[in-house]
Amino acid sequence: MASRRLFHLALALGLLLCIASWAGTASAQDPEWDDDDEVFAADEFEVNDEPGASSPAGGSAAAAGEWDDEDDEVDENDEDDGGLGNNAAAGSGSGDAPTLKIVKGPGAGSGGGAAASLPLRWEDFQYELLALLGVVTFFLNYLRGRSANQSIAKAVGAAVGPVLDRNFAVVGDTKNKALLVQENCAFYYLWASGRVNVARFLGQLELASRHDLFAVGMDLLQPSADKLVLNIVLDPTAMDAFVFALVLKAKEKTLRTERHDVKAFLPSSSGGAHFGLPAKFQVLSECGELGAALLTPELVRVICEGDKVFESLVVSDRDSGGKDPLDLETSPAVAYQKTVHCTLRVPPGDAAALAAPLRAILDLVDRLRGVSLSAHAKRGVKERREKIAKQREKQANLARQEAARDKKVAVKKQEREKLEGMSAEQQRKWEEQERKKELRQRMKKMSKNATVR
């Protein structure tokens, strides 16, 4: 609350600074001083034709210090003319000689003509003020966002901590006695171990980047939700071979893009209403009997009560860890794992709603060992996996053939470059050697085929 008040105070202060800057710009024109005026303008001399007028002492002293050699020559000429210049300076004579008067600009001090400093105004610092306002706003938003994410993390830990303690022997960082380990201001993770059918448990708390002012601006255009991602790696014997998924309709396309097992083994989907789920859910099953076996009434009830919490649930025996099995360049070797992957959304201000879905997911892990497919379903599952394996082997053969062709082209290119540097006689001898070599290889191959027959 205090950080939010500081953030609002900074915005109000920035608004006042902008208004003051605009007001200073509007009243920048001073009737006694213009930016186009100079402190000592040489073209602003007043001519006084009145007899007896004399220049000020300060002006005479400043003018006397700026005479050059040409002025000295003028004074000598004045003396030759009978002292007319002296008579004019003293105010005596006929009264026809004009008197020059220097007009000082505003702000000029009594320092004998020293340049005066310009007055400071708000508009002279408007860019600095805006930059300062941006830095202060960014810093206050960082404090506010970090504090908000820490509060959400604490609430999530308080909700899921007791559930994990009852189901696992070791939970969190036992060395530092912390359930959630912070990686940055928007990412926390936790782990647990010591449970039947579970090899390891990893949870990732992905929060909105509230500490980043730019991310906050982007969030206004495309809001992002806080998520708790659960990745449970099962024992090799904890479940049969199958793939099953439950996902929101809006996230089905994203799930197929991110999960290669869903894309390969779950080409079609059905509405969640067939299983008593809200209409916004889609059920993707490798075989028809999995929906009734996995979506028990208890799990359906939890999903319906927490329909704003569940985003996706994937049970798979072909989890490749994000690697594409058919892409040999990025995945030369693929190790499959049996996993249960679940994404839960953290409701704003209601992190306690995560406890019931987490208990339901752990109950589902225990129930997987008892799910047994029929002989027909197992045969279909096996055929689909063999098909994927054959596609991978076919791509591997094509890749090897392409590599062999590239190697052959490179060898022929080297031979051509080698022939270009030979004389005609050397080329003839080299071609004769290559012909004999090819003939020996052909004879060897023919003898080998005859032996086999």
Side-chain angles (χ1 to χ4, degrees):
M1 182 64 68
S3 60
R4 183 178 299 177
R5 291 179 180 176
L6 288 175
F7 180 69
H8 293 165
L9 180 62
L11 292 179
L13 179 60
L15 181 61
L16 291 176
L17 291 175
C18 293
I19 295 175
S21 176
W22 174 81
T25 304
S27 61
Q29 300 297 331
D30 190 349
E32 298 181 357
W33 174 252
D34 193 1
D35 293 336
D36 297 333
D37 296 338
E38 297 182 358
V39 178
F40 297 105
D43 55 346
E44 293 188 356
F45 290 104
E46 293 185 2
V47 180
N48 188 359
D49 293 338
E50 297 180 2
S54 59
S55 60
S60 299
E66 297 178 357
W67 293 114
D68 53 8
D69 296 336
E70 295 181 359
D71 296 332
D72 294 338
E73 294 177 2
V74 174
D75 292 340
E76 293 177 358
N77 294 332
D78 291 341
E79 292 177 358
D80 295 339
D81 293 338
L84 293 177
N86 295 332
N87 294 335
S92 60
S94 59
D96 296 334
T99 300
L100 299 180
K101 180 180 180 182
I102 298 176
V103 179
K104 295 184 178 181
S110 60
S117 60
L118 296 177
L120 299 179
R121 292 169 293 186
W122 280 107
E123 62 270 16
D124 296 334
F125 303 97
Q126 56 183 352
Y127 297 109
E128 289 81 357
L129 291 174
L130 290 176
L132 179 61
L133 174 63
V135 172
V136 172
T137 304
F138 189 89
F139 179 71
L140 292 179
N141 180 78
Y142 174 81
L143 296 179
R144 183 190 67 85
R146 186 184 65 175
S147 176
N149 283 351
Q150 287 177 350
S151 300
I152 295 174
K154 291 180 180 178
V156 171
V160 304
V163 179
L164 296 177
D165 289 336
R166 287 193 298 268
N167 287 273
F168 292 91
V170 179
V171 178
D173 187 1
T174 56
K175 181 178 180 181
N176 298 320
K177 297 182 180 180
L179 175 63
L180 291 170
V181 179
Q182 181 179 0
E183 183 169 323
N184 53 50
C185 294
F187 186 83
Y188 296 77
Y189 61 90
L190 61 94
W191 61 86
S193 61
R195 191 177 193 274
V196 179
N197 301 324
V198 177
R200 60 180 180 273
F201 175 95
L202 176 64
Q204 298 175 346
L205 181 59
E206 302 173 357
L207 303 177
S209 299
R210 296 178 176 85
H211 64 288
D212 189 351
L213 188 60
F214 299 103
V216 172
M218 294 298 296
D219 193 64
L220 297 177
L221 302 177
Q222 187 177 2
S224 58
D226 301 325
K227 298 179 181 180
L228 177 62
V229 181
L230 305 177
N231 189 26
I232 307 174
V233 180
L234 306 178
D235 292 333
T237 60
M239 60 175 286
D240 280 345
F242 62 83
V243 180
F244 175 84
L246 171 67
V247 63
L248 293 173
K249 288 183 179 180
K251 296 294 182 179
E252 181 180 357
K253 185 177 180 180
T254 303
L255 183 65
R256 292 185 181 276
T257 303
E258 296 177 351
R259 297 286 302 239
H260 300 287
D261 50 353
V262 175
K263 180 180 179 181
F265 299 103
L266 303 177
S268 61
S269 61
S270 60
H274 297 287
F275 302 93
L277 295 171
K280 63 180 181 179
F281 285 100
Q282 289 287 99
V283 177
L284 297 81
S285 179
E286 191 172 0
C287 49
E289 57 192 69
L290 282 175
L294 297 180
L295 295 176
T296 60
E298 180 64 20
L299 180 59
V300 171
R301 182 186 63 81
V302 173
I303 294 176
C304 293
E305 292 178 355
D307 59 339
K308 296 182 179 180
V309 177
F310 268 93
E311 179 175 310
S312 65
L313 171 65
V314 180
V315 181
S316 174
D317 72 311
R318 306 291 285 183
D319 188 356
S320 58
K323 297 180 180 180
D324 187 359
L326 300 180
D327 189 354
L328 299 179
E329 294 183 359
T330 59
S331 307
V334 180
Y336 296 106
Q337 292 179 333
K338 295 181 178 182
T339 61
V340 174
H341 190 276
C342 182
T343 301
L344 305 175
R345 295 182 178 181
V346 182
D350 189 17
L354 297 172
L358 179 58
R359 284 193 295 266
I361 297 302
L362 295 177
D363 293 340
L364 175 63
V365 170
D366 294 335
R367 195 166 56 253
L368 287 176
R369 183 179 289 274
V371 176
S372 180
L373 301 179
S374 62
H376 176 72
K378 289 183 178 180
R379 186 166 54 252
V381 168
K382 183 178 179 181
E383 290 176 354
R384 280 185 287 271
R385 279 148 181 75
E386 290 177 350
K387 182 180 179 180
I388 296 296
K390 289 179 180 179
Q391 291 179 359
R392 180 177 174 84
E393 184 62 26
K394 183 179 179 180
Q395 290 189 4
N397 293 333
L398 293 176
R400 285 192 293 266
Q401 293 176 6
E402 185 177 356
R405 285 196 301 267
D406 293 342
K407 184 178 179 180
K408 189 175 181 179
V409 170
V411 170
K412 287 187 175 296
K413 183 178 179 181
Q414 292 178 359
E415 291 177 354
R416 287 195 302 267
E417 293 176 353
K418 185 178 180 180
L419 287 173
E420 290 177 356
M422 294 181 180
S423 61
E425 182 63 22
Q426 290 176 341
Q427 290 182 8
R428 187 188 64 80
K429 291 181 179 180
W430 183 84
E431 290 175 355
E432 184 66 23
Q433 292 177 359
E434 289 295 322
R435 192 179 298 109
K436 292 180 180 180
K437 181 179 179 181
E438 185 178 355
L439 182 60
R440 287 195 301 268
Q441 291 178 354
R442 190 176 301 174
M443 293 296 293
K444 183 178 180 181
K445 185 175 182 181
M446 292 175 62
S447 63
K448 184 178 180 180
N449 292 336
T451 304
V452 172
R453 291 178 183 177

